[in-house]
Amino acid sequence: MRAEPVLKWAGGKRQLLPEICARLPARIHTYFEPFLGGGAVLFELAQKRRFERAVVSDQNPELVETYQVIQRDVESLIKILSKMPHSEEEYYRVRASSPRLPSRRAARMIYLNRTGYNGLYRVNKSGQFNVPFGRYVSPRICDPERLRAAAAVLARVEIRHSDFEQTVARARPRDAVYFDPPYVPLSETARFAEYYSTPFGEAEHRRLQRVFAELVNRRVDVLLSNSDTPLTRELYGDYCLETVAARRNINSDGTRRGQVHEILVGGPLRTGLRLGATA
């Protein structure tokens, strides 16, 4: 089976995969992805055998642990998920639970993701998951073949719970980095979810730009996606910045769902080269 994301994730990159993959090198020694999320780009590149090894990370500890369990103990995870019923009562019981075993915590993460409202991951300031029950008729809680295909990919991937700057510290020429950070909001009311108890604000976006610039100076192939805003254009105006259209379906206000413009940022504008191209 083709390896695909096992989690629904707000801002997931499935629809932009052709645009993103076209801007990454055809052959990558080590692929780095510090904001892993749903992992669509990782799975696509792995499917096409475009990297020799990969280092991925996220600041969400539950997400990281879920991928580590898929990587190391997928059969136990499948066994647990296959016995979890779908009902509103069960959803809130699972949401309130605090499992001790990693495999059961991963099962909780996947169960809530597949049965919660719109597939959102949202936590309050105490770090507690607080998404309400989703009104699905028959959600696919356990998908054994998809989980096993993901495990096969993750078997050759290093998965970390770490900061983005730490994750890419050892990136070198012939490597590639893809940054897909929490987006700069399009407005003050556009923050529909917090993925971590600590928000990713303007100071972090400016630190990310400095890391981006350092990687470019080290001749590492680097690509970044973000929302198209005055701040992102200020930060990345000296680089190869392209606008792409994407459809976003997750918003509490249905009238605000639909096509939006995002940016993809590659190497130095002065080179006149697309990311991954050769002179």
Side-chain angles (χ1 to χ4, degrees):
M1 178 179 175
R2 178 183 175 84
E4 295 181 341
V6 298
L7 295 168
K8 296 182 285 184
W9 207 252
K13 290 297 175 288
R14 290 195 204 193
Q15 61 180 304
L16 289 179
L17 284 176
E19 298 276 5
I20 293 168
C21 292
R23 289 163 175 78
L24 289 169
R27 293 290 179 266
I28 301 167
H29 181 258
T30 302
Y31 171 67
F32 294 86
E33 188 172 345
F35 302 95
L36 184 56
V41 178
L42 170 72
F43 287 116
E44 183 71 10
L45 293 177
Q47 196 73 34
K48 296 180 178 179
R49 301 181 181 277
R50 286 177 58 175
F51 58 76
E52 294 178 28
R53 62 185 295 266
V55 179
V56 301
S57 70
D58 204 279
Q59 281 282 67
N60 184 321
E62 290 184 90
L63 180 67
V64 169
E65 184 177 54
T66 297
Y67 283 125
Q68 290 173 337
V69 169
I70 294 170
Q71 178 189 59
R72 302 167 186 172
D73 196 11
V74 70
E75 295 304 324
S76 293
L77 178 60
I78 290 170
K79 185 176 181 180
I80 296 168
L81 284 170
S82 66
K83 296 178 180 178
M84 298 179 76
H86 176 235
S87 71
E88 186 169 1
E89 180 182 3
E90 178 68 4
Y91 177 85
Y92 286 109
R93 186 196 69 78
V94 172
R95 197 182 79 166
S97 68
S98 300
R100 293 184 180 181
L101 296 177
S103 58
R104 292 195 175 276
R105 289 196 294 267
R108 176 183 181 272
M109 176 75 167
I110 293 173
Y111 180 88
L112 295 176
N113 177 262
R114 305 304 298 182
T115 60
Y117 178 76
N118 254 356
L120 286 174
Y121 184 94
R122 185 183 65 202
V123 296
N124 59 26
K125 292 183 179 180
S126 299
Q128 298 172 323
F129 186 84
N130 63 358
V131 175
F133 180 64
R135 302 295 174 178
Y136 301 109
V137 176
S138 181
R140 190 76 179 270
I141 296 170
C142 184
D143 190 337
E145 295 312 308
R146 178 172 292 203
L147 286 165
R148 291 185 182 115
V153 168
L154 296 175
R156 58 193 182 102
V157 174
E158 182 179 341
I159 307 170
R160 301 177 180 176
H161 175 223
S162 66
D163 175 78
F164 65 86
E165 188 169 0
Q166 296 172 332
T167 301
V168 303
R170 296 186 179 182
R172 297 292 182 266
R174 295 180 58 229
D175 296 340
V177 177
Y178 172 53
F179 290 118
D180 183 28
Y183 277 16
V184 173
L186 296 174
S187 69
E188 285 301 312
T189 59
R191 301 173 185 271
F192 66 86
E194 296 292 353
Y195 302 107
Y196 325 118
S197 55
T198 303
F200 197 94
E202 182 175 335
E204 289 298 278
H205 281 285
R206 291 190 179 279
R207 180 164 71 95
L208 176 58
Q209 189 276 338
R210 292 193 293 271
V211 173
F212 182 100
E214 181 185 343
L215 289 167
V216 170
N217 289 338
R218 288 179 3 215
R219 301 188 64 80
V220 177
D221 281 294
V222 57
L223 181 68
L224 175 142
S225 55
N226 212 316
S227 52
D228 189 353
T229 69
L231 175 60
T232 53
R233 286 185 172 272
E234 172 202 331
L235 292 174
Y236 298 102
D238 291 337
Y239 299 94
C240 184
L241 187 155
E242 299 176 83
T243 303
V244 294
R247 184 171 181 82
R248 292 295 168 224
N249 296 317
I250 296 180
N251 197 303
S252 57
D253 180 354
T255 64
R256 297 176 62 186
R257 301 173 189 171
Q259 193 174 83
V260 297
H261 287 101
E262 301 184 2
I263 60 169
L264 291 175
V265 185
L269 184 61
R270 64 179 179 274
T271 66
L273 296 175
R274 290 166 65 88
L275 190 69
T278 55

